Amino acid sequence: MKKTWNFLMKNLPYKILAVVMAIALWLVVYNIDDPNKVKPYTTAVSITGTEALEDMGKCYVVLDGSDTVTFSVSAKRSYLTNISESDFEAVADMSEMQIQENGTEALVPIRITAKRNASNLKFVNPTKYLHVALENLQTEKYIVQAKADGQVAEGFALKGVTVQNPSVIKVEGPESVVSQIDSVVAAIDVSGMSVNYTDNVRLQYYDAEGNRIDTTRLKFSADKVTVAVEIQATKTVPLKFETTGIPAEGYDVESITSTPENVTIQGESSVLTGITSIDIPSSELNVQGATGSITTNIDITEFLPQGITLVKGAESTVEVTVHIESDTTESYVVKTSNFNLKNVPDGYKVSVTQETVTVRVTGKAADLKNVSAESITGNIDLSGLGEGSHNIPIQFAMDTELYQVSNVSVTVVVEKKTTGETGTGNQNNTPNDNNQETGGSGDNNLNTDTEQNETNSDATGANVTAGAGSIHTRNQ
């Protein structure tokens, strides 16, 4: 032991100096290899203690982007290498705010802490503040408006959209934002839909100009509402009109037109099936004593069947015109060959002295466009006639509801057949007889002509062509 002690105490000052120098050298080497460094970090500021503002009837708005804070940390490089921005927390407690003299702004101290290695870190200039503007807190209630976006399926129409629950929303926030709200809308997409349905819809907030409002600073009693959509089938049907009264003498109702002529209606399919037109009663169109066309506007909604409505966007008022025209008279030069000879006496031959007659027809201008000299036909009835010259009225085959025809007569000459003349008249009007008359010579020569019989809905007889003293007879 004595030898050991003597060995340790030998040159003791030098040994102590060596230890001190070794420690100093180690410190120098350590600091050279892992020096202190300063590094900046940026993190978001969490805000707490807002109840203090609410108790004052106030709310805040962060100014100058101060809701993020940049700070610097001093530490050994080995520590800083393993630390990120997520290792720090910045908190501004509104209960510690310092209200400025103007009363509209405040500074709130931001406390920055490290979540780990806090003892090895040193914050450089750690005093930071959250700069906020103070506003009055405002609370309002709004009725939610339902809105449909898109088009339903073809053949269907949207009857309506309604907000079911909740229908009223409570909004709380800065006065400057809440005061901008003009409407709260629940918009639901109905594109391609053909059946009723409901959905939960997120609310949208608009100002008076229809611009969307940023709601990040607002609180709501609900974010979504339930919206119901009702969809109905559609059908396009014509409008039908009746008139009351009688136009002035010589005038009549030609037609009734409307703009539009058809309307599209909507309702339950079972009801639409039985609707073929929308009938407007005659009481809406009085033409008593009228001498010209009448135009009026009629609201057709009151004449729609129960449970039926016009599709959205359709005009409920239609323009109706009752076209009233006076009668027109036209004259036509008609060949007498257009008229059939009926009931020619047996054993007699008949001749017509005129080649043409003038026929005056009265009717509507539109109807008279369908009349020509060639289209005017009729019969000449020879029943009970004996030999001699006779003035016989023509029986015209024209629609008496559309036309009035003047009385026109023709002169016919009835003569007994001479020896050698063959054939008889078609006194009995029997269809499909092929009668012929054979003429001799002279002014009253008869041209022989045999044709196949034709059926006339009024009567049958002999079709006569008279001219230059000759007659052509065709049995009908």
Side-chain angles (χ1 to χ4, degrees):
M1 290 296 293
K2 184 176 181 180
K3 289 182 178 180
T4 303
W5 175 256
N6 289 335
F7 175 77
L8 293 174
M9 295 303 292
K10 187 178 180 180
N11 300 320
L12 181 60
Y14 293 105
K15 292 179 179 178
I16 294 173
L17 179 61
V19 172
V20 172
M21 290 181 64
I23 294 173
L25 182 61
W26 179 85
L27 290 173
V28 170
V29 172
Y30 178 81
N31 281 287
I32 291 174
D33 186 57
D34 191 14
N36 277 336
K37 293 190 66 176
V38 176
K39 184 177 179 181
Y41 294 91
T42 300
T43 189
V45 177
S46 299
I47 300 173
T48 63
T50 55
E51 299 83 1
L53 281 176
E54 294 175 0
D55 292 341
M56 298 168 56
K58 298 285 185 180
C59 59
Y60 69 92
V61 178
V62 177
L63 300 177
D64 307 327
S66 58
D67 53 350
T68 60
V69 62
T70 300
F71 54 93
S72 297
V73 174
S74 173
K76 294 295 183 180
R77 181 175 62 184
S78 58
Y79 289 112
L80 295 180
T81 301
N82 298 319
I83 293 176
S84 65
E85 292 175 342
S86 61
D87 292 318
F88 297 95
E89 184 178 49
V91 178
D93 188 345
M94 299 301 291
S95 64
E96 298 177 358
M97 66 179 175
Q98 304 167 11
I99 300 177
Q100 304 298 294
E101 293 183 359
N102 57 18
T104 61
E105 296 181 8
L107 294 175
V108 185
I110 300 174
R111 300 187 182 279
I112 305 170
T113 58
K115 298 179 182 178
R116 62 190 183 92
N117 296 324
S119 60
N120 297 315
L121 305 178
K122 181 180 180 181
F123 291 96
V124 179
N125 191 19
T127 304
K128 302 291 181 180
Y129 292 93
L130 177 70
H131 189 193
V132 298
L134 301 179
E135 288 191 46
N136 291 329
L137 188 65
Q138 183 172 347
T139 301
E140 295 289 347
K141 292 183 179 179
Y142 297 90
I143 297 175
V144 181
Q145 303 173 17
K147 176 188 174 185
D149 290 333
Q151 296 293 327
V152 299
E154 186 176 356
F156 294 86
L158 181 68
K159 181 180 181 181
V161 289
T162 56
V163 177
Q164 292 187 333
N165 182 46
S167 60
V168 176
I169 292 295
K170 179 181 176 182
V171 181
E172 182 181 271
E175 183 180 25
S176 61
V177 180
V178 176
S179 61
Q180 295 181 48
I181 299 175
D182 181 70
S183 60
V184 180
V185 178
I188 188 168
D189 187 5
V190 299
S191 299
M193 295 297 175
S194 59
V195 294
N196 300 339
Y197 72 105
T198 60
D199 197 5
N200 292 324
V201 178
R202 189 170 296 278
L203 296 172
Q204 300 171 357
Y205 295 80
Y206 295 90
D207 62 19
E209 285 72 40
N211 302 313
R212 290 281 295 271
I213 293 176
D214 182 2
T215 60
T216 54
R217 297 160 59 191
L218 301 178
K219 294 181 181 179
F220 315 102
S221 57
D223 292 330
K224 293 183 178 181
V225 296
T226 302
V227 177
V229 178
E230 188 174 359
I231 296 175
Q232 293 182 328
T234 64
K235 186 177 184 178
T236 300
V237 293
L239 295 170
K240 290 187 177 181
F241 303 89
E242 297 289 342
T243 61
T244 185
I246 301 174
E249 185 176 355
Y251 293 83
D252 202 354
V253 175
E254 179 196 9
S255 62
I256 303 175
T257 59
S258 67
T259 304
E261 296 180 350
N262 305 303
V263 293
T264 303
I265 55 178
Q266 67 182 62
E268 297 299 328
S269 298
S270 57
V271 179
L272 288 178
T273 301
I275 300 175
T276 58
S277 65
I278 302 300
D279 300 323
I280 309 303
S282 59
S283 57
E284 297 298 309
L285 296 172
N286 190 343
V287 298
Q288 183 66 36
T291 58
S293 296
I294 299 173
T295 299
T296 186
N297 292 322
I298 298 178
D299 186 349
I300 64 172
T301 53
E302 59 182 294
F303 307 115
L304 298 176
Q306 186 175 2
I308 298 299
T309 60
L310 295 174
V311 295
K312 185 177 180 180
E315 290 291 337
S316 61
T317 300
V318 298
E319 184 180 83
V320 184
T321 300
V322 182
H323 300 274
I324 296 177
E325 290 189 1
S326 60
D327 292 336
T328 300
T329 300
E330 296 286 348
S331 296
Y332 303 89
V333 177
V334 183
K335 293 181 180 180
T336 54
S337 59
N338 280 20
F339 307 111
N340 297 323
L341 291 177
K342 291 178 59 178
N343 302 315
V344 177
D346 191 26
Y348 290 85
K349 59 183 180 179
V350 179
S351 61
V352 180
T353 60
Q354 301 115 293
E355 291 187 4
T356 63
V357 290
T358 299
V359 180
R360 292 171 60 83
V361 181
T362 300
K364 299 295 179 294
D367 295 330
L368 291 178
K369 291 179 180 179
N370 300 320
V371 178
S372 64
E374 292 73 19
S375 68
I376 298 177
T377 60
N379 301 306
I380 301 173
D381 190 358
L382 305 175
S383 299
L385 297 182
E387 189 174 8
S389 178
H390 305 276
N391 194 35
I392 306 299
I394 299 174
Q395 300 172 350
F396 293 98
M398 298 188 74
D399 189 341
T400 57
E401 291 186 0
L402 299 178
Y403 309 105
Q404 296 178 4
V405 186
S406 60
N407 294 324
V408 179
S409 298
V410 292
T411 301
V412 297
V413 177
V414 180
E415 299 176 282
K416 284 187 177 181
K417 295 179 182 178
T418 59
T419 303
E421 291 180 327
T422 61
T424 60
N426 189 4
Q427 294 177 325
N428 295 325
N429 295 320
T430 302
N432 300 324
D433 288 341
N434 292 324
N435 295 329
Q436 297 180 352
E437 287 187 4
T438 304
S441 60
D443 291 339
N444 291 325
N445 285 342
L446 298 175
N447 295 325
T448 302
D449 188 6
T450 303
E451 299 183 17
Q452 187 177 356
N453 297 334
E454 299 177 1
T455 302
N456 185 297
S457 61
D458 295 321
T460 58
N463 192 20
V464 176
T465 302
S470 64
I471 184 168
H472 173 191
T473 303
R474 182 175 69 183
N475 292 334
Q476 300 276 334

